[in-house]
Amino acid sequence: MRSSALSVVLAAALLAGCSTMRPWQNAAASPASMAPPVTGLGPDRSDRPSMVAALTLSGGGARAAAFGLGVLRELKDTAFVWEGRQTTLFDEIGLVSGVSGGSILAAHYASFGDETLSRFEPDFLLHDFDGDLILGALSPVRLHDLTSPWYGRSNVLADRLDALYQGRTFADLAKRARGPELLVTATDLTTGAPFEFNAEQFALICSDLGSVPLSFAVAASSAVPLLLTPVTLRNHAGDCAHPPLPATGNAVSAEADYRTRMLEASAESYRDVRERPFLHLVDGGLADNLGMRGLLDRVVATGSIQDSFRDVAPGSIRKLILIAVNSERDLAERIDQSDRVPTTGQVMDALLFGAGSRVTQMTLAMLDDDLRRWNQELQRHRGAPGSPFAADAELHVISISLRDVPDPRRRRSALQVPTAFTIAPSDVELLQDAGREALRRSPAFQRLRQSLAGPAPCCNNSATAPR
């Protein structure tokens, strides 16, 4: 009896001491912040870009960040002369897209540019980030904060990431004179649809992307369910006029293509603020682990690749480049080798890296199909009056993964690096070398380098379509 009474007293004391801590939450947009975003392309956001290059970095914790950093180093070493000036592919990236672990690197690169090559490894990859998170969560202040119903484990992660990004927001990125645009993707927990941190998405919820801390977006993209908690945004759609839904191509295309219909349904779901006053976001890898599905679907929705660049001056674009970096790993155990009932851990591993990888394979298959259509379209329209594509325009798509590491032993080792915020220093070195080598040996990348090194193929009638 005394034990029961004591338990009641302790429970009451705990409840009475619950924190009312509320983390950062997005406010309704002001009229000024709802102004149309800058539509220029390239690292200098020009309306006459001759080269449009995008880099997508997949999820995979520190494994993905290290592999991606190796790719960035190789891009920096890929120097060439473009229209009379010396440059590198690293410096010509106009958009970097990241998911989960890849978003950690993407946000750093978008924030600090060249400094990422010297700072990211010591500040994140070789730092005991996991240990910092655990110690931070167990501090008396954080333990009390975590009793708040509005503050979860992902908020602890966001606080730690805020130090890595030095408190930067999306507005800070917009102020740079030069540098890539950043796209971070999370997953809408209710609908399962990708939630992209971009101006178009935030216009749908009548909020200002510029006010969003980079740490919040990356924490949302990295919030693995159960291990971390969802992060929350407020839907302010009732506080301003509804923006138009994302532009789509002709009615026949919109009716016939399920990808367009899914985009429209996802956008429409945010309009009813009474039904969805709050949005809960989790790891972006659940919806799009490559960070490119939204980019591909928007091209389909606009009707054509030419329509996607309708704001670009005619005849401007000579090179379209997409570099996709896939850091997915193998299953930790091959459960098909045993007739025993898989354990909970084995099931989770299989769902994330077995069944979950099917979404990645579907996206890559879509990329193959889209690429064929884009090349046919480019051949028809480049050099034509009003077309954004110059007569010598080329399309280069380079897709690399850990499976492209040529040495079997190193490939097996890279594919078994765990998904965590902290990995062994030897794995950091292995993965960076793997990223450099996989990109350097890619036949599609080699064709791109040859194209950049040689004279512009003014009389070539076939678009480059490397994979």
Side-chain angles (χ1 to χ4, degrees):
M1 187 68 179
R2 286 183 178 178
S3 177
S4 299
L6 181 59
S7 297
V8 170
V9 171
L10 289 174
L14 180 61
L15 289 172
C18 282
S19 171
T20 58
M21 167 71 172
R22 287 180 180 267
W24 175 89
Q25 193 170 80
N26 59 306
S30 65
S33 68
M34 293 296 287
V38 176
T39 56
L41 296 170
D44 54 0
R45 290 175 280 283
S46 168
D47 64 350
R48 298 188 62 89
S50 57
M51 181 181 296
V52 177
L55 172 68
T56 66
L57 301 170
S58 83
R63 180 186 65 253
F67 189 57
L69 183 59
V71 169
L72 287 181
R73 294 193 191 282
E74 189 64 25
L75 293 176
K76 187 65 178 179
D77 286 347
T78 305
F80 56 97
V81 176
W82 184 251
E83 299 185 337
R85 59 185 176 83
Q86 186 75 29
T87 187
T88 71
L89 276 176
F90 178 96
D91 297 302
E92 293 302 318
I93 297 296
L95 170 70
V96 59
S97 171
V99 175
S100 197
S103 73
I104 300 175
L105 174 62
H108 201 279
Y109 169 40
S111 297
F112 302 110
D114 278 359
E115 293 181 40
T116 294
L117 300 176
S118 59
R119 289 175 42 188
F120 188 76
E121 185 174 1
D123 290 355
F124 177 75
L125 290 174
L126 297 181
H127 190 83
D128 186 6
F129 203 85
D130 277 331
D132 275 1
L133 288 177
I134 294 171
L135 288 176
L138 293 178
S139 71
V141 172
R142 282 292 175 263
L143 282 174
H144 185 249
D145 288 342
L146 286 167
T147 64
S148 167
W150 301 284
Y151 190 92
R153 295 183 296 279
S154 290
N155 297 111
V156 178
L157 171 61
D159 290 342
R160 179 63 187 87
L161 288 169
D162 205 47
L164 181 68
Y165 302 131
Q166 299 180 2
R168 279 172 168 74
T169 65
F170 279 86
D172 293 319
L173 299 186
K175 295 174 185 175
R176 298 161 306 161
R178 183 177 175 84
E181 181 182 349
L182 174 65
L183 178 66
V184 174
T185 302
T187 299
D188 186 321
L189 183 58
T190 297
T191 66
F195 183 97
E196 296 179 323
F197 283 78
N198 60 20
E200 183 178 85
Q201 177 71 71
F202 271 70
L204 289 171
I205 62 172
C206 192
S207 193
D208 176 19
L209 175 67
S211 68
V212 179
L214 300 184
S215 57
F216 181 91
V218 173
S221 184
S222 305
V224 178
L226 302 182
L227 295 178
L228 293 168
T229 52
V231 300
T232 303
L233 285 171
R234 180 182 286 273
N235 186 359
H236 296 280
D239 296 340
C240 63
H242 287 306
L245 289 174
T248 58
N250 59 58
V252 174
S253 173
E255 292 171 2
D257 192 277
Y258 85 95
R259 293 160 66 182
T260 299
R261 295 197 304 272
M262 293 297 289
L263 270 181
E264 291 176 341
S266 178
E268 187 65 44
S269 73
Y270 300 109
R271 296 262 176 134
D272 190 349
V273 70
R274 290 174 298 181
E275 182 69 22
R276 303 195 67 195
F278 297 97
L279 312 174
H280 301 286
L281 309 178
V282 293
D283 194 297
L286 298 178
D288 173 21
N289 197 48
L290 292 176
M292 71 164 69
R293 180 66 179 269
L295 300 175
L296 300 181
D297 287 353
R298 279 194 293 278
V299 174
V300 171
T302 56
S304 70
I305 191 170
Q306 179 159 285
D307 289 339
S308 298
F309 297 102
R310 59 170 65 94
D311 295 323
V312 174
S316 297
I317 301 175
R318 295 175 54 207
K319 288 282 191 295
L320 271 175
I321 303 168
L322 172 62
I323 302 171
V325 182
N326 179 9
S327 304
E328 282 191 339
R329 70 168 177 84
D330 277 346
L331 292 170
E333 297 180 68
R334 304 300 305 186
I335 57 175
D336 296 337
Q337 298 293 315
S338 171
D339 62 353
R340 295 186 176 185
V341 175
T343 65
T344 301
Q346 289 172 327
V347 170
M348 289 294 295
D349 184 70
L351 286 173
L352 289 172
F353 305 108
S357 68
R358 181 173 174 81
V359 176
T360 295
Q361 297 309 311
M362 290 172 62
T363 301
L364 291 173
M366 288 177 183
L367 176 60
D368 279 333
D369 292 343
D370 291 343
L371 183 57
R372 282 191 288 270
R373 289 195 299 270
W374 296 346
N375 272 287
Q376 292 169 2
E377 185 184 344
L378 192 61
Q379 290 182 38
R380 290 195 305 269
H381 296 294
R382 61 183 182 178
S387 171
F389 303 115
D392 62 353
E394 296 179 340
L395 171 62
H396 294 263
V397 176
I398 299 101
S399 178
I400 65 168
S401 75
L402 292 171
R403 290 175 175 79
D404 294 323
V405 178
D407 181 75
R409 183 183 61 81
R410 288 165 60 83
R411 182 171 61 248
R412 284 194 299 271
S413 296
L415 285 167
Q416 288 300 315
V417 175
T419 301
F421 289 117
T422 301
I423 57 177
S426 58
D427 288 334
V428 171
E429 181 179 0
L430 165 69
L431 288 160
Q432 288 188 75
D433 289 344
R436 296 189 69 135
E437 188 173 20
L439 182 61
R440 189 185 311 124
R441 287 176 173 267
S442 163
F445 186 67
Q446 292 172 7
R447 287 191 287 271
L448 171 60
R449 293 190 65 165
Q450 290 170 3
S451 175
L452 292 171
C458 62
C459 303
N460 183 2
N461 292 322
S462 61
T464 303
R467 271 299 310 278

